[in-house]
Amino acid sequence: MTSFISGNTIFLAFISTLCSADVITMGQFMIYRPIFCAPLLGFFMGDVSIGLWIGMIVEMIWINAAPIGIAVPIDVSILGILSTFWMCKYFKGLHEAAIWGLVLAVPFAYLYRLVDIFGRDFNTKLMHWIERRVQNGEYRYINIGIFVGVFFFIVKTFLFYVFSMIVGGWIYRFIYLELPTFVLKGFQKAWYLLPVCGFGMVMFNFRKIKRLFKH
Amino acid sequence: MPGVNDVNNNMGFKMIKIYFSMFIKTFFIQALWNYERLQNVGFLFILKPFLCKVYSDDDKRKEAFLRHMGFFNTHPYMASLIIAIVANMEKELSKCKRGGKKSDVNSVKNIMEGPLAAIGDSFFGGTLRYLVAFVSIFILFLFVNLFGNKFIAYNFWIPLVFIFFYNVVHIPVRFLLMFMGFKFNMEKNIFLLSSFKFMFLGKILYCSEVIVVIGALILYFKFLFFGSLNTRLFGNDVCDILIYSVLFVLSIFVSWKFSAVFLFYSTIFVCVGISCLGI
């Protein structure tokens, strides 16, 4: 059963989509945070520990990456999910492979940010369509609009995950096998050094929170 | 023939159903988030069953729906309170035969959305999430120190702790804010909100957060230097301690001037550079 799930990219892409939908579309239960979604993927792929460590690194370094107002930061769930997926699928248990996954996941997170902005623009058009319907007294189109918005989000995120898990996986595996030894050794060191940087980022953020409460 | 009490009970039951559906729908407030008016459709989606119920006149109902198509943006958790207050105002408006003061509804929305967004962002986004995440990370390092490689048997609890402690605060707060909004009038709600010690609570959480982070940091260094990680990453103890300490201080300054992505890639670059030098 575990091998069937870990090999089933479509299923894992769907689970990842549900996690990413939590960012704004539904709930905000924080299942999109990497400390939860990376171990979740790790659980399905048979290695919770590595997923947890990746999630912890991403959570600390990108601790202040949350959509506030009109700001659209990179989706941190993508970083945790993609790196855990690639590592567990191709080089299970290797710390350097997990760090290489993180290195490669950042450009994918930026790519997704563009897709997300496109989706929010599409929502504006949908909102105008709903407004015209409401002017005609057709209120059921509010529900239909919300359903279409959620559906469109899920479809675009799902397709993105399928694309990045498969195409990104090829790139990931191909480049990793060509990496020189000293780079891999550097990644091994980064596995233990990145949490230290995460603590540095958190210490810096304390200053910002304190300023928030002063006002 | 049903009595007056039966009719009232049925009405009450129907309203409870509507309130409950409104509460469930608050989880979808940002489902149609757009750059032009942000959460407006989500707001209307939540309010829709209530407006359909209280307005029997078609023209008045349409006017009410169009009134809420305007810009709306606040913290998604705090929106419950504004929605409930606006629903109460709409109920009063629906009873007025001469129309009442319709502009008041939008004024209340505009006045409340900014301050509530600030409270929500600093309390939930800036304090509670950090605290709960670091409680989980603290537990992770505690398990690593206590059980070594055997912590694999317990690791699935850590993300569950994060989700549980966050949502055990978040969901009741959403529910209570909606309940407060429906139960009391606007003046009473503002009084209750202003008398609630957000600053005091925030400071307590902030202090706990500092303690938890420092605890997690100590546990992590204990794991690195005295724990199951026997191999020294940079040759010997002194070199390791020196590099870790310098990196920790440097990362605080890098975070100050640059983005998280820069911090991440520069750390990787430094690690690869050190390996290239053969250290």
Side-chain angles (χ1 to χ4, degrees):
Chain A
M1 185 67 186
T2 313
S3 60
F4 167 74
I5 290 173
S6 63
N8 196 335
T9 307
I10 302 295
F11 173 76
L12 293 168
F14 183 70
I15 295 290
S16 310
T17 304
L18 291 183
C19 288
S20 286
D22 187 59
V23 182
I24 57 161
T25 305
M26 42 190 183
Q28 294 89 44
F29 298 108
M30 294 295 140
I31 58 170
Y32 80 94
R33 294 306 303 179
I35 191 87
F36 181 80
C37 63
L40 182 71
L41 249 279
F43 172 75
F44 285 119
M45 304 281 292
D47 197 343
V48 182
S49 305
I50 296 269
L52 195 58
W53 197 272
I54 292 172
M56 182 261 297
I57 290 172
V58 179
E59 184 71 50
M60 287 206 287
I61 293 182
W62 280 273
I63 189 98
N64 54 4
I68 294 173
I70 57 160
V72 185
I74 59 167
D75 190 343
V76 285
S77 59
I78 285 174
L79 299 177
I81 286 169
L82 286 184
S83 50
T84 309
F85 173 81
W86 290 332
M87 188 276 298
C88 288
K89 192 166 175 71
Y90 298 111
F91 307 103
K92 203 170 190 174
L94 293 180
H95 296 168
E96 55 272 35
I99 295 297
W100 167 235
L102 274 175
V103 170
L104 194 65
V106 174
F108 276 90
Y110 273 101
L111 181 67
Y112 180 75
R113 188 169 170 264
L114 297 177
V115 176
D116 196 18
I117 289 169
F118 166 74
R120 289 168 193 235
D121 280 333
F122 173 77
N123 284 351
T124 309
K125 287 177 185 139
L126 205 55
M127 184 267 291
H128 284 298
W129 176 74
I130 293 168
E131 190 175 26
R132 283 195 295 276
R133 296 294 179 171
V134 170
Q135 278 165 351
N136 294 335
E138 296 166 304
Y139 308 124
R140 71 177 190 281
Y141 283 93
I142 297 169
N143 289 14
I144 293 171
I146 291 283
F147 176 77
V148 171
V150 172
F151 181 74
F152 176 71
F153 180 90
I154 286 175
V155 167
K156 80 173 161 59
T157 311
F158 177 73
L159 291 177
F160 177 82
Y161 270 117
V162 171
F163 167 78
S164 48
M165 281 173 170
I166 295 172
V167 178
W170 293 337
I171 300 167
Y172 170 82
R173 191 173 48 172
F174 177 73
I175 298 178
Y176 181 80
L177 292 171
E178 301 297 322
L179 287 173
T181 317
F182 75 88
V183 175
L184 296 178
K185 280 185 178 170
F187 287 166
Q188 276 175 352
K189 288 181 172 58
W191 180 255
Y192 294 105
L193 277 172
L194 281 170
V196 179
C197 289
F199 278 114
M201 175 59 100
V202 174
M203 290 292 172
F204 167 71
N205 274 303
F206 278 155
R207 196 183 125 270
K208 279 168 78 178
I209 298 165
K210 200 174 174 186
R211 200 169 55 198
L212 269 175
F213 279 103
K214 270 184 181 173
H215 289 293
Chain B
M1 193 178 159
V4 177
N5 282 343
D6 290 340
V7 174
N8 283 343
N9 283 343
N10 277 339
M11 279 294 286
F13 183 68
K14 276 183 184 170
M15 284 314 283
I16 288 169
K17 264 177 78 178
I18 288 171
Y19 293 152
F20 184 71
S21 83
M22 285 170 77
F23 172 68
I24 297 296
K25 284 177 176 181
T26 54
F27 294 108
F28 293 88
I29 188 165
Q30 302 201 99
L32 214 67
W33 194 101
N34 58 83
Y35 278 116
E36 199 176 306
R37 300 181 205 167
L38 284 77
Q39 298 168 340
N40 67 335
V41 182
F43 186 88
L44 201 55
F45 174 65
I46 300 163
L47 213 53
K48 189 191 151 208
F50 191 86
L51 292 180
C52 287
K53 183 77 191 165
V54 295
Y55 282 104
S56 49
D57 181 64
D58 278 350
D59 291 335
K60 277 188 171 182
R61 187 187 293 165
K62 191 197 284 185
E63 207 180 323
F65 271 92
L66 289 172
R67 200 165 34 241
H68 296 294
M69 278 304 292
F71 177 92
F72 180 74
N73 183 43
T74 190
H75 192 272
Y77 303 167
M78 308 301 275
S80 308
L81 180 67
I82 303 177
I83 289 159
I85 289 173
V86 165
N88 272 348
M89 293 179 83
E90 287 290 354
K91 197 176 181 181
E92 293 301 314
L93 269 179
S94 69
K95 286 174 190 168
C96 291
K97 288 191 176 171
R98 288 194 172 183
K101 268 195 159 184
K102 288 159 195 166
S103 59
D104 281 2
V105 180
N106 277 333
S107 303
V108 166
K109 269 170 73 177
N110 295 340
I111 289 165
M112 291 191 83
E113 62 188 8
L116 285 179
I119 292 171
D121 287 337
S122 54
F123 182 73
F124 290 102
T127 310
L128 184 69
R129 182 168 60 82
Y130 282 41
L131 176 65
V132 178
F134 273 94
V135 167
S136 313
I137 291 167
F138 178 84
I139 295 171
L140 167 67
F141 291 138
L142 191 68
F143 280 8
V144 168
N145 275 288
L146 285 178
F147 306 115
N149 288 332
K150 287 179 188 168
F151 98 102
I152 292 166
Y154 309 94
N155 57 14
F156 67 94
W157 284 104
I158 296 162
L160 296 179
V161 164
F162 171 74
I163 287 298
F164 175 77
F165 281 112
Y166 187 84
N167 287 306
V168 87
V169 178
H170 142 232
I171 297 172
V173 164
R174 272 189 167 182
F175 183 80
L176 277 174
L177 286 174
M178 189 159 248
F179 178 79
M180 262 171 63
F182 278 121
K183 182 83 179 164
F184 308 115
N185 60 18
M186 197 179 69
E187 288 77 17
K188 176 86 173 170
N189 274 310
I190 290 171
F191 172 74
L192 283 170
L193 264 182
S194 56
S195 59
F196 189 74
K197 307 285 184 201
F198 274 108
M199 296 288 272
F200 180 67
L201 188 64
K203 277 174 186 169
I204 289 176
L205 290 179
Y206 174 73
C207 293
S208 343
E209 199 182 309
V210 174
I211 294 166
V212 170
V213 170
I214 290 170
L217 185 63
I218 291 167
L219 282 175
Y220 186 59
F221 278 115
K222 187 174 175 286
F223 160 69
L224 283 178
F225 300 119
F226 310 104
S228 54
L229 188 72
N230 292 320
T231 50
R232 289 281 164 261
L233 291 177
F234 303 100
N236 56 54
D237 283 357
V238 179
C239 199
D240 264 36
I241 291 171
L242 196 72
I243 288 178
Y244 280 119
S245 312
V246 168
L247 191 80
F248 176 63
V249 176
L250 264 179
S251 58
I252 296 175
F253 287 103
V254 171
S255 313
W256 185 24
K257 289 284 178 192
F258 301 99
S259 66
V261 175
F262 182 85
L263 175 69
F264 172 73
Y265 278 122
S266 56
T267 310
I268 300 281
F269 187 74
V270 167
C271 290
V272 172
I274 287 172
S275 292
C276 187
L277 294 171
I279 301 170

